[in-house]
Short mmCIF file of all heavy atoms in Angstrom, two decimals:
data_model
loop_
_atom_site.label_atom_id
_atom_site.label_comp_id
_atom_site.label_asym_id
_atom_site.label_seq_id
_atom_site.Cartn_x
_atom_site.Cartn_y
_atom_site.Cartn_z
N MET A 1 -16.27 29.32 52.58
CA MET A 1 -16.68 28.39 53.63
C MET A 1 -15.59 28.25 54.69
O MET A 1 -15.89 28.13 55.89
CB MET A 1 -16.97 27.02 53.01
CG MET A 1 -17.43 25.96 54.00
SD MET A 1 -17.73 24.37 53.21
CE MET A 1 -18.06 23.35 54.65
N ALA A 2 -14.33 28.29 54.29
CA ALA A 2 -13.23 28.16 55.24
C ALA A 2 -13.25 29.29 56.27
O ALA A 2 -12.84 29.10 57.41
CB ALA A 2 -11.90 28.14 54.49
N LEU A 3 -13.73 30.46 55.86
CA LEU A 3 -13.81 31.60 56.78
C LEU A 3 -14.91 31.41 57.80
O LEU A 3 -14.82 31.92 58.92
CB LEU A 3 -14.04 32.90 56.00
CG LEU A 3 -12.96 33.28 54.98
CD1 LEU A 3 -13.39 34.53 54.21
CD2 LEU A 3 -11.62 33.51 55.68
N ASP A 4 -15.96 30.69 57.44
CA ASP A 4 -17.13 30.52 58.31
C ASP A 4 -17.04 29.30 59.22
O ASP A 4 -17.73 29.23 60.23
CB ASP A 4 -18.41 30.41 57.47
CG ASP A 4 -18.69 31.69 56.68
OD1 ASP A 4 -18.29 32.76 57.15
OD2 ASP A 4 -19.30 31.60 55.60
N CYS A 5 -16.23 28.32 58.82
CA CYS A 5 -16.19 27.07 59.59
C CYS A 5 -15.56 27.30 60.95
O CYS A 5 -14.52 27.97 61.06
CB CYS A 5 -15.39 26.00 58.82
SG CYS A 5 -16.26 25.32 57.42
N PRO A 6 -16.12 26.74 62.00
CA PRO A 6 -15.52 26.87 63.33
C PRO A 6 -14.24 26.05 63.44
O PRO A 6 -14.02 25.14 62.64
CB PRO A 6 -16.63 26.32 64.25
CG PRO A 6 -17.40 25.38 63.38
CD PRO A 6 -17.37 25.98 62.01
N PRO A 7 -13.39 26.35 64.43
CA PRO A 7 -12.17 25.56 64.62
C PRO A 7 -12.49 24.08 64.81
O PRO A 7 -13.44 23.72 65.51
CB PRO A 7 -11.55 26.17 65.88
CG PRO A 7 -12.10 27.55 65.94
CD PRO A 7 -13.50 27.46 65.37
N GLY A 8 -11.69 23.24 64.15
CA GLY A 8 -11.89 21.81 64.26
C GLY A 8 -12.94 21.24 63.34
O GLY A 8 -13.25 20.05 63.41
N SER A 9 -13.52 22.07 62.48
CA SER A 9 -14.55 21.59 61.56
C SER A 9 -13.92 20.80 60.42
O SER A 9 -12.70 20.75 60.26
CB SER A 9 -15.35 22.76 61.01
OG SER A 9 -14.51 23.58 60.20
N ALA A 10 -14.77 20.18 59.62
CA ALA A 10 -14.28 19.37 58.49
C ALA A 10 -13.47 20.23 57.54
O ALA A 10 -13.81 21.36 57.24
CB ALA A 10 -15.46 18.74 57.76
N GLU A 11 -12.38 19.68 57.06
CA GLU A 11 -11.51 20.38 56.13
C GLU A 11 -12.25 20.67 54.82
O GLU A 11 -12.73 19.74 54.17
CB GLU A 11 -10.28 19.51 55.84
CG GLU A 11 -9.40 20.01 54.72
CD GLU A 11 -8.84 21.38 55.01
OE1 GLU A 11 -8.10 21.52 55.98
OE2 GLU A 11 -9.17 22.30 54.24
N PRO A 12 -12.37 21.95 54.41
CA PRO A 12 -13.14 22.26 53.20
C PRO A 12 -12.33 22.21 51.92
O PRO A 12 -12.88 22.50 50.86
CB PRO A 12 -13.62 23.69 53.48
CG PRO A 12 -12.52 24.29 54.29
CD PRO A 12 -11.96 23.17 55.13
N TRP A 13 -11.04 21.86 51.99
CA TRP A 13 -10.20 21.97 50.80
C TRP A 13 -9.93 20.62 50.12
O TRP A 13 -10.11 20.48 48.92
CB TRP A 13 -8.88 22.65 51.15
CG TRP A 13 -9.04 24.07 51.57
CD1 TRP A 13 -8.97 24.59 52.83
CD2 TRP A 13 -9.34 25.18 50.72
NE1 TRP A 13 -9.21 25.93 52.81
CE2 TRP A 13 -9.43 26.33 51.53
CE3 TRP A 13 -9.54 25.31 49.34
CZ2 TRP A 13 -9.71 27.59 51.02
CZ3 TRP A 13 -9.82 26.57 48.82
CH2 TRP A 13 -9.90 27.69 49.66
N LEU A 14 -9.48 19.63 50.88
CA LEU A 14 -9.10 18.36 50.26
C LEU A 14 -10.22 17.70 49.46
O LEU A 14 -9.96 17.07 48.44
CB LEU A 14 -8.57 17.39 51.32
CG LEU A 14 -7.13 17.64 51.79
CD1 LEU A 14 -6.76 16.68 52.90
CD2 LEU A 14 -6.15 17.51 50.62
N PRO A 15 -11.50 17.80 49.90
CA PRO A 15 -12.56 17.21 49.07
C PRO A 15 -12.62 17.75 47.65
O PRO A 15 -13.11 17.08 46.75
CB PRO A 15 -13.84 17.56 49.85
CG PRO A 15 -13.39 17.66 51.26
CD PRO A 15 -12.02 18.27 51.20
N LEU A 16 -12.10 18.97 47.44
CA LEU A 16 -12.09 19.51 46.08
C LEU A 16 -11.19 18.69 45.17
O LEU A 16 -11.46 18.54 43.97
CB LEU A 16 -11.63 20.97 46.09
CG LEU A 16 -12.47 21.94 46.92
CD1 LEU A 16 -11.96 23.36 46.73
CD2 LEU A 16 -13.93 21.84 46.55
N VAL A 17 -10.10 18.19 45.71
CA VAL A 17 -9.21 17.34 44.93
C VAL A 17 -9.91 16.04 44.58
O VAL A 17 -9.77 15.51 43.46
CB VAL A 17 -7.89 17.07 45.70
CG1 VAL A 17 -6.95 16.20 44.86
CG2 VAL A 17 -7.21 18.38 46.07
N GLU A 18 -10.68 15.51 45.53
CA GLU A 18 -11.48 14.32 45.24
C GLU A 18 -12.48 14.61 44.11
O GLU A 18 -12.67 13.80 43.21
CB GLU A 18 -12.23 13.87 46.49
CG GLU A 18 -11.36 13.46 47.66
CD GLU A 18 -10.75 12.08 47.49
OE1 GLU A 18 -11.08 11.40 46.51
OE2 GLU A 18 -9.96 11.68 48.37
N ALA A 19 -13.12 15.77 44.19
CA ALA A 19 -14.12 16.11 43.18
C ALA A 19 -13.50 16.26 41.80
O ALA A 19 -14.16 16.02 40.79
CB ALA A 19 -14.86 17.39 43.57
N SER A 20 -12.26 16.67 41.75
CA SER A 20 -11.59 16.84 40.44
C SER A 20 -11.07 15.51 39.89
O SER A 20 -10.65 15.44 38.74
CB SER A 20 -10.43 17.83 40.56
OG SER A 20 -9.37 17.28 41.33
N GLY A 21 -11.08 14.46 40.73
CA GLY A 21 -10.62 13.14 40.29
C GLY A 21 -9.12 13.00 40.23
O GLY A 21 -8.61 12.09 39.58
N ASP A 22 -8.39 13.88 40.94
CA ASP A 22 -6.92 13.89 40.85
C ASP A 22 -6.25 13.66 42.19
O ASP A 22 -5.14 14.15 42.43
CB ASP A 22 -6.45 15.24 40.27
CG ASP A 22 -6.78 15.40 38.80
OD1 ASP A 22 -6.60 14.43 38.05
OD2 ASP A 22 -7.22 16.50 38.40
N ARG A 23 -6.89 12.94 43.08
CA ARG A 23 -6.32 12.77 44.43
C ARG A 23 -4.96 12.07 44.40
O ARG A 23 -4.03 12.46 45.12
CB ARG A 23 -7.30 12.00 45.31
CG ARG A 23 -6.83 11.85 46.76
CD ARG A 23 -6.66 13.21 47.44
NE ARG A 23 -6.10 13.12 48.77
CZ ARG A 23 -6.82 13.08 49.87
NH1 ARG A 23 -8.15 13.11 49.81
NH2 ARG A 23 -6.24 13.03 51.05
N HIS A 24 -4.80 11.04 43.59
CA HIS A 24 -3.53 10.31 43.54
C HIS A 24 -2.41 11.22 43.07
O HIS A 24 -1.32 11.24 43.68
CB HIS A 24 -3.65 9.09 42.63
CG HIS A 24 -2.38 8.30 42.52
ND1 HIS A 24 -1.86 7.59 43.58
CD2 HIS A 24 -1.52 8.12 41.48
CE1 HIS A 24 -0.74 7.00 43.20
NE2 HIS A 24 -0.51 7.30 41.94
N ARG A 25 -2.65 11.99 42.01
CA ARG A 25 -1.64 12.90 41.50
C ARG A 25 -1.29 13.96 42.55
O ARG A 25 -0.12 14.32 42.73
CB ARG A 25 -2.12 13.57 40.21
CG ARG A 25 -1.09 14.50 39.58
CD ARG A 25 -1.64 15.20 38.34
NE ARG A 25 -1.74 14.31 37.20
CZ ARG A 25 -2.87 13.97 36.62
NH1 ARG A 25 -4.02 14.43 37.08
NH2 ARG A 25 -2.88 13.16 35.59
N PHE A 26 -2.29 14.46 43.25
CA PHE A 26 -2.06 15.48 44.27
C PHE A 26 -1.23 14.92 45.42
O PHE A 26 -0.29 15.57 45.90
CB PHE A 26 -3.40 16.00 44.79
CG PHE A 26 -3.26 16.97 45.93
CD1 PHE A 26 -2.92 18.29 45.70
CD2 PHE A 26 -3.48 16.55 47.24
CE1 PHE A 26 -2.79 19.19 46.75
CE2 PHE A 26 -3.36 17.44 48.29
CZ PHE A 26 -3.01 18.76 48.04
N ASP A 27 -1.57 13.72 45.90
CA ASP A 27 -0.84 13.14 47.02
C ASP A 27 0.62 12.92 46.69
O ASP A 27 1.50 13.07 47.57
CB ASP A 27 -1.49 11.81 47.44
CG ASP A 27 -2.83 12.02 48.14
OD1 ASP A 27 -3.08 13.15 48.61
OD2 ASP A 27 -3.62 11.06 48.20
N LEU A 28 0.91 12.56 45.45
CA LEU A 28 2.31 12.38 45.06
C LEU A 28 3.06 13.71 45.03
O LEU A 28 4.23 13.78 45.43
CB LEU A 28 2.38 11.71 43.68
CG LEU A 28 1.94 10.25 43.59
CD1 LEU A 28 1.99 9.75 42.16
CD2 LEU A 28 2.83 9.37 44.49
N ALA A 29 2.40 14.75 44.56
CA ALA A 29 3.06 16.05 44.41
C ALA A 29 3.10 16.84 45.72
O ALA A 29 4.06 17.58 45.97
CB ALA A 29 2.36 16.88 43.33
N TYR A 30 2.06 16.68 46.56
CA TYR A 30 1.95 17.48 47.78
C TYR A 30 1.56 16.58 48.95
O TYR A 30 0.38 16.54 49.37
CB TYR A 30 0.91 18.58 47.61
CG TYR A 30 1.17 19.51 46.45
CD1 TYR A 30 0.49 19.36 45.24
CD2 TYR A 30 2.10 20.55 46.55
CE1 TYR A 30 0.73 20.21 44.16
CE2 TYR A 30 2.35 21.40 45.50
CZ TYR A 30 1.66 21.24 44.30
OH TYR A 30 1.91 22.07 43.25
N PRO A 31 2.50 15.84 49.52
CA PRO A 31 2.17 14.91 50.61
C PRO A 31 1.54 15.58 51.82
O PRO A 31 0.72 14.98 52.51
CB PRO A 31 3.52 14.28 50.97
CG PRO A 31 4.37 14.49 49.75
CD PRO A 31 3.92 15.78 49.15
N ALA A 32 1.89 16.84 52.09
CA ALA A 32 1.35 17.53 53.26
C ALA A 32 -0.13 17.85 53.10
O ALA A 32 -0.89 17.84 54.07
CB ALA A 32 2.13 18.83 53.52
N GLY A 33 -0.56 18.13 51.89
CA GLY A 33 -1.98 18.38 51.62
C GLY A 33 -2.54 19.60 52.30
O GLY A 33 -3.70 19.59 52.75
N SER A 34 -1.77 20.67 52.36
CA SER A 34 -2.24 21.88 53.02
C SER A 34 -3.22 22.64 52.13
O SER A 34 -3.23 22.45 50.91
CB SER A 34 -1.05 22.79 53.35
OG SER A 34 -0.48 23.30 52.16
#
């Protein structure tokens, strides 16, 4: 999906962390969230 999304489209990656239920742990380990 990231290859198909136009520039400026919704970020297709961070929602996966939400879906895994680990957003708090991720934010502590990777503040940049790339």
Side-chain angles (χ1 to χ4, degrees):
M1 181 181 174
L3 299 175
D4 297 331
C5 286
S9 65
E11 171 61 63
W13 294 105
L14 282 176
L16 300 185
V17 181
E18 298 283 355
S20 70
D22 289 317
R23 183 61 186 266
H24 179 68
R25 182 183 286 116
F26 175 79
D27 288 342
L28 291 177
Y30 303 100
S34 68

